[in-house]
Amino acid sequence: MLPGQPAAPVVPQTMHSFGCVVPGRPPMYSDAFAQIEAGKWSCDIQNVEQIRDVVVFLTQPLQVAGAGLSCYITGPPFERYHFLGAVDNDVPSAVFRVRWPKEEGAPTAARLGLSLEPMEQIAVQKASLPGTELVDFGKQVAKDLWNYLASFEVMHQHGQFLLNLFDKWMQRFEERCKRDPFWWVNRE
């Protein structure tokens, strides 16, 4: 199912009760998934133009120590899977934003793939995820503000000092978004 990935431990599906929810649709549990090989399952999702998020959850703890359930999605011809994120015993549920690569266009169907993988491998994949929309938005706001301020005389006199402040702010902003992407919602 997921090319180039090491084989997962051989574990029967019944030991891994999991499910997914596409908002606005009924939940799908592990028995709705086809087992592709040991430790790998998939299910087809129709009407994907309406899908923005996928919720994946465990209904009982994973029985394999040091492993998590990686979540992938692909569109026709169902060959190139995109890593969405993972759930594990410490984080038994998660909401994943579905983003289709621009070069692939909008698919008419999708396949959700779940794969039992070592936590070390999951950590590497999580680190390779593209920046969040919030970080990208923050960069655009900062760039727009910088361009606006550049039109004032004070920028010609103190530009380097202000640029250093902007760099520090952007680093702080990115770190906050990594720790908690919704920090701005939870503030009082």
Side-chain angles (χ1 to χ4, degrees), residues 14-94:
T14 56
M15 290 186 68
H16 298 290
S17 293
F18 53 82
C20 77
V21 175
V22 175
R25 301 177 190 199
M28 293 183 286
Y29 296 96
S30 54
D31 58 350
F33 285 72
Q35 186 160 11
I36 306 304
E37 58 185 73
K40 296 183 181 186
W41 303 270
S42 73
C43 74
D44 291 338
I45 303 170
Q46 302 303 319
N47 301 323
V48 295
E49 62 276 356
Q50 300 168 7
I51 296 176
R52 299 189 125 173
D53 301 298
V54 174
V55 178
V56 177
F57 57 90
L58 300 175
T59 58
Q60 65 185 35
L62 294 171
Q63 302 298 313
V64 178
L69 202 58
S70 289
C71 307
Y72 299 87
I73 199 160
T74 185
F78 306 118
E79 295 171 352
R80 186 171 171 218
Y81 281 83
H82 306 285
F83 179 73
L84 297 175
V87 294
D88 58 49
N89 290 341
D90 293 330
V91 183
S93 66

Side-chain angles (χ1 to χ4, degrees), residues 129-147 166-167 169-175 177-178 183:
L129 285 174
T132 66
E133 289 175 352
L134 184 58
V135 171
D136 294 340
F137 176 73
K139 288 179 181 178
Q140 292 301 320
V141 168
K143 183 179 176 181
D144 184 64
L145 179 58
W146 180 260
N147 289 336
F166 262 74
D167 286 342
W169 173 82
M170 196 66 222
Q171 289 172 351
R172 181 175 162 258
F173 183 81
E174 288 177 351
E175 287 301 316
C177 289
K178 285 179 187 174
W183 64 266

Side-chain angles (χ1 to χ4, degrees), residues 109-180:
R111 183 168 292 156
L112 181 66
L114 301 177
S115 179
L116 187 64
E117 298 174 352
M119 292 303 293
E120 297 79 22
Q121 182 177 337
I122 291 171
V124 169
Q125 292 183 94
K126 282 183 177 180
S128 69
L129 285 174
T132 66
E133 289 175 352
L134 184 58
V135 171
D136 294 340
F137 176 73
K139 288 179 181 178
Q140 292 301 320
V141 168
K143 183 179 176 181
D144 184 64
L145 179 58
W146 180 260
N147 289 336
Y148 174 73
L149 292 175
S151 67
F152 294 96
E153 182 64 32
V154 70
M155 291 299 286
H156 300 289
Q157 298 168 0
H158 305 288
Q160 188 58 47
F161 172 74
L162 294 174
L163 180 60
N164 290 341
L165 288 176
F166 262 74
D167 286 342
K168 287 180 184 178
W169 173 82
M170 196 66 222
Q171 289 172 351
R172 181 175 162 258
F173 183 81
E174 288 177 351
E175 287 301 316
R176 287 181 91 177
C177 289
K178 285 179 187 174
R179 283 193 311 272
D180 179 10

